[in-house]
Amino acid sequence: MMRLLLLAFFGFATKAVAYDRLVGFHKPKSSHHVVILDGGVDPSIGVNWTCDNPNAVIANPSSSSTNVTLKSPGTYNCKLSRSDTTIGPDNLILSTNLRMEIFLKLPVTILAGSITQNLIRAQYQFLSLSHHYYGSNNYLPNVAKFFKTGMGKMTDTIHKLITYVLAKHATTKVKDGQGSPDYTVHLFRHGFGPDFKIECEKPTQLQKAFVHALKIEKAIVHDLTSTKHWAEYLDDAETIEFISIELIPTFTTHMKVLSDYKKTVSNITKHDLGLGEFLFDRLMA
């Protein structure tokens, strides 16, 4: 059996090399991966498959449809040409570019793994801050409401991200060429990643709470930006658009609010910490 991950057969960004197919494989279960190339040519026409990467092994070069074993991550340009060179100078029938990457390094896997984990951590941190400022010893109800709203935004982002991942990410398991393919959501089979800890801080001062919240969101934006750059390298235009339009702006807007609140609290609490925090909470009403 072989497991094949196909992400975005079309719609990749145009670069020097645009990939028609992005293939993910799992280590250490398999160091090789098999894909099917189908030229859709009449069997009576003599053809020949070639590949520019020596790590590709073409099972049946003279057949329009053939299995190709990819031995390592990298790019593979496969061409189907007429074997009869007397027909004319242009014998090329089809050219397709493949890219194989380790599954855990694919942008969609990063989104479903480490970034989702960080969003969940942020969600619980904002919830913790909300409860902290609803407490009798630190009762700042409007501040508490602000952090609860922030938690809600984290929750909405997590739902949006997971919905995108599940819609984009499907796996085909081919049963030795017999029977119909078995489609399954691959991440449910292999898990969203290892267990992770959630540790929440409770800053003693309101300004530190905003600083900590801002630090969390900056880290998330940094990870999203790194993933977007990796998606750009892989020509995954769909993921680039999703991160750039649906995710990052949500955080940059909220980060500006956190930064402004941090400065305001710093100014208003210079002479009296407790009174300043009380007045700031009333300003948020």
Side-chain angles (χ1 to χ4, degrees):
M1 292 185 180
M2 65 179 179
R3 192 169 287 125
L4 175 62
L5 170 66
L6 303 181
L7 294 178
F9 285 84
F10 47 83
F12 291 113
T14 302
K15 284 188 176 181
V17 177
Y19 306 109
D20 302 304
R21 195 183 297 184
L22 180 58
V23 182
F25 78 106
H26 296 272
K27 292 182 70 177
K29 291 184 178 180
S30 173
S31 57
H32 295 177
H33 204 86
V34 179
V35 298
I36 299 175
L37 294 179
D38 189 353
V41 178
D42 190 324
S44 63
I45 299 176
V47 295
N48 182 56
W49 279 103
T50 59
C51 187
D52 64 343
N53 192 321
N55 290 314
V57 178
I58 302 174
N60 191 357
S62 60
S63 173
S64 173
S65 179
T66 180
N67 288 349
V68 180
T69 301
L70 312 180
K71 291 186 175 182
S72 65
T75 58
Y76 297 79
N77 176 244
C78 300
K79 294 181 178 179
L80 179 65
S81 304
R82 294 177 182 269
S83 56
D84 186 357
T85 58
T86 62
I87 296 177
D90 186 10
N91 297 307
L92 181 65
I93 299 174
L94 174 68
S95 178
T96 185
N97 292 305
L98 310 178
R99 182 174 184 88
M100 185 167 78
E101 285 292 341
I102 296 172
F103 176 77
L104 293 177
K105 291 184 177 181
L106 293 175
V108 69
T109 312
I110 297 172
L111 287 174
S114 60
I115 289 180
T116 298
Q117 292 177 4
N118 289 336
L119 287 171
I120 293 173
R121 288 190 182 98
Q123 180 187 36
Y124 276 91
Q125 178 63 77
F126 276 75
L127 177 61
S128 175
L129 289 172
S130 176
H131 284 297
H132 179 64
Y133 287 108
Y134 270 131
S136 58
N137 294 331
N138 307 280
Y139 188 62
L140 299 173
N142 295 308
V143 171
K145 187 183 296 184
F146 170 79
F147 283 118
K148 188 174 182 179
T149 301
M151 182 208 69
K153 290 182 178 179
M154 291 293 177
T155 303
D156 292 343
T157 302
I158 292 169
H159 288 168
K160 185 186 299 183
L161 191 152
I162 292 176
T163 300
Y164 170 79
V165 168
L166 297 182
K168 180 181 178 69
H169 183 34
T171 302
T172 304
K173 185 175 74 172
V174 182
K175 304 175 181 178
D176 299 327
Q178 298 179 359
S180 59
D182 175 24
Y183 296 96
T184 182
V185 177
H186 188 86
L187 289 173
F188 282 155
R189 176 171 297 175
H190 292 271
F192 281 83
D195 295 338
F196 61 98
K197 293 182 179 180
I198 297 177
E199 297 178 351
C200 298
E201 295 188 18
K202 294 182 179 179
T204 55
Q205 298 178 13
L206 182 55
Q207 183 184 359
K208 291 181 179 180
F210 287 128
V211 169
H212 184 58
L214 185 60
K215 180 181 177 181
I216 289 173
E217 296 203 6
K218 281 182 177 179
I220 292 173
V221 170
H222 176 271
D223 291 344
L224 287 173
T225 303
S226 298
T227 305
K228 182 176 78 74
H229 290 162
W230 180 232
E232 288 171 350
Y233 178 73
L234 295 176
D235 293 312
D236 189 349
E238 188 180 72
T239 299
I240 296 168
E241 181 179 359
F242 175 68
I243 294 175
S244 301
I245 297 176
E246 300 291 336
L247 298 182
I248 291 180
T250 302
F251 291 100
T252 53
T253 302
H254 200 246
M255 284 166 57
K256 177 63 169 61
V257 174
L258 287 170
S259 180
D260 290 343
Y261 282 176
K262 181 191 71 171
K263 293 176 183 177
T264 303
V265 171
S266 176
N267 291 329
I268 205 171
T269 58
K270 279 183 179 179
H271 302 293
D272 191 314
L273 179 63
L275 179 60
E277 291 185 350
F278 174 81
L279 291 174
F280 177 81
D281 182 73
R282 290 298 175 267
L283 289 173
M284 295 182 69

